[in-house]
Amino acid sequence: MAQPEEPQEVIQPKPASSKVIILFKAVGDAPILKQPKVKVEEQDKFLKVLQFLKRQLAREQVFAYLKEAFCPSPDEKIQTLYEAYAVDAKLVVSYACTPAWG
């Protein structure tokens, strides 16, 4: 009597890293960006967003907030922030040239 074969596990190839849409909102005296939406690899760190803002605003220091309340750590992955704080399939990042919120 033959025993039924166990189903073999099918290994799916890992999809290419997807991108997250980031929507920038100016706060206080910060200038409005010409390009308020960008796509960033989900595996990138929040540091990449901060560097982008510094380049676009020609500033050495920029303050970036999520939920208009807190500054994420530069080492935090975009994917983690997106999963926790995305609104309408976008990660909304408020930015200012001077401290705006706690």
Side-chain angles (χ1 to χ4, degrees), residues 17-20 22 39-49 74-81:
S17 182
S18 59
K19 295 194 176 201
V20 170
I22 297 182
K39 289 183 180 179
V40 179
E41 295 287 334
E42 65 182 12
Q43 295 304 315
D44 286 340
K45 294 184 179 183
F46 193 69
L47 178 63
K48 187 169 185 174
V49 173
D75 292 333
E76 195 73 48
K77 282 190 177 179
I78 297 293
Q79 178 182 12
T80 305
L81 296 172

Side-chain angles (χ1 to χ4, degrees), residues 25-31 65 68 94-97 100-101:
K25 287 185 157 186
V27 175
D29 65 344
Y65 303 91
E68 297 181 348
S94 302
Y95 64 94
C97 296
W101 293 287

Side-chain angles (χ1 to χ4, degrees), residues 43-60:
Q43 295 304 315
D44 286 340
K45 294 184 179 183
F46 193 69
L47 178 63
K48 187 169 185 174
V49 173
L50 294 173
Q51 291 170 336
F52 172 81
L53 284 170
K54 288 177 184 180
R55 267 194 323 273
Q56 294 299 308
L57 300 172
R59 300 262 182 169
E60 288 193 27

